[in-house]
Amino acid sequence: MSAARKPVRARPEATSPLAGTRAPLVPNVEPLRVGDTHPSPPADSQSHRVTESQTLSVREPSEQPRYLTLVRKEARLRPDQATALADLRRRLARSRTDRSETITDNTLLRIAVDLLLAHADRLHGDTEEQLTESALRST
């Protein structure tokens, strides 16, 4: 019994107007642009400095969404932290009366950073555990 074979698929090729010569396929792709004209930092950049291009905008600050006025910063959280943060966000969102501003996980992270910076004089230690202990210890 012979099995039916699928036909061999021919690869599409671009041909030039000249006598049957092949021209290479060249992609014509526009660069991806999301949001405003803020260039994204290089993927391998370890710099934590805010560049002028990240803070300037074509539009007036009052005309653009709040998230575009902020500097992007990535953080890795433990699973228990991510879960507790989401639970807190949901609890706060349910209990509020003014719903003019959305409360997100990032909102709470910005508040945590402000709180940490306000009590920076308490921080001491060489490890994350020691720094956490010194930050959480009440005086």
Side-chain angles (χ1 to χ4, degrees):
M1 211 195 250
S2 65
R5 297 186 67 183
K6 290 185 179 180
V8 177
R9 293 179 58 177
R11 181 176 177 174
E13 296 179 10
T15 57
S16 72
L18 302 176
T21 61
R22 293 183 196 172
L25 294 176
V26 179
N28 184 11
V29 181
E30 292 182 23
L32 180 62
R33 295 179 67 193
V34 177
D36 251 344
T37 58
H38 295 283
S40 42
D44 60 351
S45 172
Q46 295 297 318
S47 173
H48 300 293
R49 292 177 288 163
V50 178
T51 63
E52 186 177 359
S53 64
Q54 289 173 313
T55 58
L56 296 180
S57 172
V58 175
R59 294 188 266 170
E60 292 295 318
S62 60
E63 294 178 19
Q64 61 184 326
R66 179 180 168 102
Y67 78 93
L68 289 177
T69 66
L70 304 170
V71 177
R72 182 168 179 77
K73 185 71 180 162
E74 184 176 317
R76 292 189 174 263
L77 303 176
R78 296 187 315 262
D80 63 303
Q81 291 174 317
T83 301
L85 184 65
D87 291 344
L88 176 59
R89 174 189 37 83
R90 285 190 290 270
R91 183 174 59 81
L92 292 171
R94 277 193 308 266
S95 66
R96 65 193 180 126
T97 55
D98 179 3
R99 297 181 184 270
S100 61
E101 185 178 319
T102 304
I103 295 176
T104 65
D105 290 356
N106 281 325
T107 305
L108 298 178
L109 289 170
R110 286 191 297 274
I111 293 167
V113 169
D114 286 339
L115 184 62
L116 179 69
L117 294 175
H119 298 285
D121 56 328
R122 291 182 176 185
L123 292 177
H124 56 62
D126 297 326
T127 64
E128 181 177 346
E129 183 179 348
Q130 292 170 347
L131 290 167
T132 302
E133 187 178 312
S134 67
L136 297 177
R137 190 177 314 137
S138 62
T139 55

